[in-house]
Amino acid sequence: MGQGTEFGLVDLEEVDTPGDEWEEIDVSDTEADRIARKRDREFEQFEERIKDADQFKVEQSVFDDATFAALYKLVQDGHVEAFGGPLSTGKEANVYHALGDDREVAVKIYRINASNFRQMRDYLEGDPRFEGLGGQKKDVVLAWTKKELANLRRAKAAGVRVPEPIATERNVLVMEYIGSEDGRAKRLGEVHIENPQTAYEVMREYMRRLYSAGLIHGDLSEYNVVFDEDEGQLVFIDLGQAVTVHHPNSREFLERDCRNVASFFSRQGLDVSEDELLEFVTSPEPDPSRD
């Protein structure tokens, strides 16, 4: 990032007051599951095209029929028109570049056989939106996907710059692509920060806005924040694990976020502490149920 780069904030006057989202999140069979069971000729042709594509060949073994059906349904609904290459790969999910409705999008595909789905349950248990969630891997991963969509919507409503959520189907999430012609946006830990004080002030303000809306990121660090060069803004990403303030471990997660952020900016030469950051983030107290 060059000299004089601005780390702009989303204007709070243009956002809605977030609610507490106590709604039950349904993890029952979706249209994708029904398509996978029916397996008509058009779906089978689509599945073969995806499996033969270079960017998906190495991942065939981790995608079940219903995952291909979810991609098929998103294409049918117009959310995805063409698939590109991978943007990132991980133990929980892969993210792919794609073309959506006249714009670039990112397609995040969570693995049903995620190796750390028990850790996922730790973030889901205690969240009032997921009471009664079963222990099957499929249910946990599907709930996690819908949870990320709900968290992105709430963060955006609170005035936090996040990828715009577009659609979800089963274990697939479509959202705004953050990047340029040169590729995906770089993470904060991958760039040289010319003005760390300004970047820190934006980070802590976004953390406070999340907290005021009743959300805690839960895995915040320089690796879950990217820099959007086109807008000159920091963008929070990977909100799948974000929890409400009602979660029994919410304070522990918030303290860890503050510790990670303070540690990073201390390495950038700032005189900051996790205690000061925690005090800033938690003032005023959250009121997530306000209208």
Side-chain angles (χ1 to χ4, degrees), residues 269-280:
L270 298 187
D271 182 16
V272 297
S273 73
E274 61 181 278
D275 291 338
E276 291 174 344
L277 178 57
L278 181 64
E279 181 179 359
F280 178 87

Side-chain angles (χ1 to χ4, degrees), residues 206-268:
Y206 278 173
M207 292 174 70
R208 180 157 70 173
R209 291 183 185 185
L210 275 182
Y211 184 77
S212 295
L215 269 187
I216 293 163
H217 189 286
D219 191 28
L220 190 60
S221 72
E222 64 270 27
Y223 301 107
N224 283 329
V225 180
V226 299
F227 178 66
D228 184 345
E229 293 184 8
D230 292 339
E231 295 184 358
Q233 288 187 335
L234 296 179
V235 184
F236 280 16
I237 62 171
D238 294 338
L239 269 75
Q241 75 293 316
V243 300
T244 70
V245 293
H246 310 290
H247 192 285
N249 297 326
S250 62
R251 184 72 176 192
E252 175 187 343
F253 294 155
L254 178 59
E255 290 175 354
R256 185 176 63 192
D257 283 353
C258 290
R259 184 162 56 251
N260 289 341
V261 172
S263 176
F264 173 74
F265 283 101
S266 292
R267 296 195 300 272
Q268 306 302 310

Side-chain angles (χ1 to χ4, degrees), residues 23-54:
E23 79 279 5
E24 179 182 354
I25 294 186
D26 184 11
V27 295
S28 59
D29 280 4
T30 68
E31 182 63 22
D33 294 281
R34 291 186 281 275
I35 291 172
R37 287 194 295 269
K38 184 178 178 182
R39 295 193 61 85
D40 62 19
R41 182 177 178 183
E42 287 187 2
F43 166 62
E44 289 182 348
Q45 290 176 340
F46 172 84
E47 185 178 24
E48 285 305 313
R49 281 202 311 273
I50 294 296
K51 285 184 176 180
D52 288 342
D54 289 340

Side-chain angles (χ1 to χ4, degrees), residues 32 36 43 46 62-72 109-110 112 169-172:
F43 166 62
F46 172 84
V62 300
F63 292 162
D64 59 11
D65 288 342
T67 299
F68 286 112
L71 295 171
Y72 179 67
I109 305 177
Y110 279 100
I112 294 298
E169 183 65 45
R170 204 173 181 269
N171 57 317
V172 182

